[in-house]
Amino acid sequence: YVPTSSSIFSLTLRHQSSRVHRYFIRLSYNGTAFCGWQFQTNAPTVQEELNKKMSLLLREEISCVGCGRTDTGVHARKFYAHFDSVKDDLAANEQIIFRLNKILPHGIAIRQIYKMKQENAHARYAAKWRSYEYHISHVKDPFGSDLSWELHEKLNTAAMNRGAKILLAYEDFIAFSKTGGSSKTTLCTVKKAKWHKTETGLFFSITANRFLRNMVRAIVGTLVDVGRGKLVPEDVRRIIKSGKRSQAGMSVPAEGLFLTDIQYPKEFRLD
């Protein structure tokens, strides 16, 4: 048997395609124009845009797996996803990043691409801690109306922080979870929860190993009720113990919520 040039080419392609490389990609996005990260039928999402534009640029089918899911209108300052490629030269390739940013929508920005030594490194399951911020503006802001919740009421931040501190003593947050979620467990470890004042309003920062669907927005709504005087800080404990979503506060608007950080094992060397 004497192989033809076409058969050699075919064998070469099969050999190359079997040698895939795992990459992590760090990006930021403004969620205003998107129905969240996760792919949806007949709705624009960040994942769909990223998969489509990367496949076009790299000339192979790319499927990105995100570090989590964000809801419609929620933003991400730091978001990670992983993907596999037969190409071995994508990491820190400024030209690839530049060209990808040129064809992506304005609301999505690629920051960095990392080639992983760990072939099974998973953007979602390997994440150790996730951090969110929720921003409230006490004044009208023509430049940031989609990036904060405009709320003119003055809130008692000291009482809100006393309520926030109670979160660290509990693990079951089903009372702040949207009903009908697909989570197998409602247990989360919260290691930080605090309100901070700014010149024009305030923001809430929270870090946990995982979050339930709508959890941050429900916690913020509850703590805002504490700041309004509708609840006292100890009511946060009562609400958590009740395990009932109906006992917690409203789910605040999505536009004020930002995913701000994802922490991975040090050996990933992502920063």
Side-chain angles (χ1 to χ4, degrees):
Y1 168 72
V2 179
T4 63
S5 58
S6 60
S7 65
I8 292 175
F9 180 68
S10 177
L11 287 170
T12 302
L13 282 181
R14 285 201 296 270
H15 178 65
Q16 289 177 341
S17 64
S18 65
R19 298 171 57 191
V20 296
H21 305 275
R22 175 62 52 95
Y23 290 94
F24 265 43
I25 186 167
R26 177 164 60 89
L27 61 146
S28 303
Y29 58 84
N30 182 320
T32 304
F34 300 101
C35 295
W37 158 263
Q38 191 79 7
F39 177 84
Q40 297 181 41
T41 304
N42 300 323
T45 66
V46 179
Q47 184 183 37
E48 180 184 17
E49 282 293 336
L50 190 58
N51 286 350
K52 188 188 303 181
K53 296 303 192 296
M54 289 188 68
S55 298
L56 177 66
L57 182 63
L58 301 181
R59 298 182 179 181
E60 60 178 305
E61 186 175 350
I62 299 296
S63 180
C64 293
V65 177
C67 59
R69 300 179 181 181
T70 55
D71 291 334
T72 299
V74 175
H75 318 290
R77 289 202 183 101
K78 182 185 282 188
F79 190 97
Y80 285 98
H82 76 252
F83 68 93
D84 293 329
S85 172
V86 296
K87 296 178 176 61
D88 64 357
D89 60 346
L90 301 180
N93 188 323
E94 294 184 4
Q95 189 62 28
I96 289 291
I97 294 172
F98 174 79
R99 292 168 63 190
L100 190 54
N101 279 324
K102 291 291 286 185
I103 62 176
L104 280 166
H106 180 72
I108 304 174
I110 305 305
R111 305 302 186 188
Q112 189 63 281
I113 299 175
Y114 309 84
K115 188 175 182 181
M116 306 302 293
K117 292 183 179 179
Q118 302 83 0
E119 294 182 357
N120 296 321
H122 199 287
R124 180 182 177 188
Y125 298 133
K128 299 180 68 175
W129 299 100
R130 296 167 168 84
S131 297
Y132 281 88
E133 289 180 4
Y134 192 88
H135 289 254
I136 294 176
S137 177
H138 291 321
V139 299
K140 184 177 180 180
D141 183 1
F143 304 107
S145 58
D146 294 326
L147 304 176
S148 64
W149 179 26
E150 188 177 319
L151 184 66
H152 296 281
E153 300 173 62
K154 298 300 180 182
L155 304 172
N156 184 341
T157 53
M160 293 162 72
N161 270 325
R162 289 197 295 273
K165 191 174 181 179
I166 292 172
L167 298 171
L168 278 63
Y170 293 88
E171 290 186 329
D172 195 337
F173 291 94
I174 191 172
F176 300 113
S177 176
K178 190 171 184 178
T179 57
S182 59
S183 297
K184 295 181 180 179
T185 175
T186 55
L187 301 182
C188 310
T189 301
V190 177
K191 75 171 183 177
K192 184 182 76 171
K194 188 176 182 180
W195 286 92
H196 313 261
K197 290 185 177 181
T198 68
E199 290 185 2
T200 58
L202 62 157
F203 72 92
F204 177 64
S205 61
I206 183 169
T207 299
N209 65 330
R210 62 190 297 269
F211 288 92
L212 306 177
R213 187 181 180 193
N214 214 56
M215 177 175 160
V216 179
R217 292 165 63 189
I219 287 175
V220 170
T222 303
L223 294 176
V224 166
D225 281 345
V226 172
R228 286 167 165 163
K230 293 182 178 180
L231 299 172
V232 298
E234 277 299 312
D235 281 327
V236 175
R237 193 184 310 276
R238 173 184 59 79
I239 291 167
I240 294 173
K241 288 183 175 181
S242 76
K244 297 179 180 179
R245 177 65 184 90
S246 59
Q247 297 294 307
M250 64 175 282
S251 176
V252 292
E255 59 262 26
L257 185 58
F258 291 76
L259 176 63
T260 58
D261 194 21
I262 306 287
Q263 296 179 35
Y264 290 96
K266 290 183 179 180
E267 56 266 27
F268 278 25
R269 299 181 181 274
L270 294 177
D271 292 315

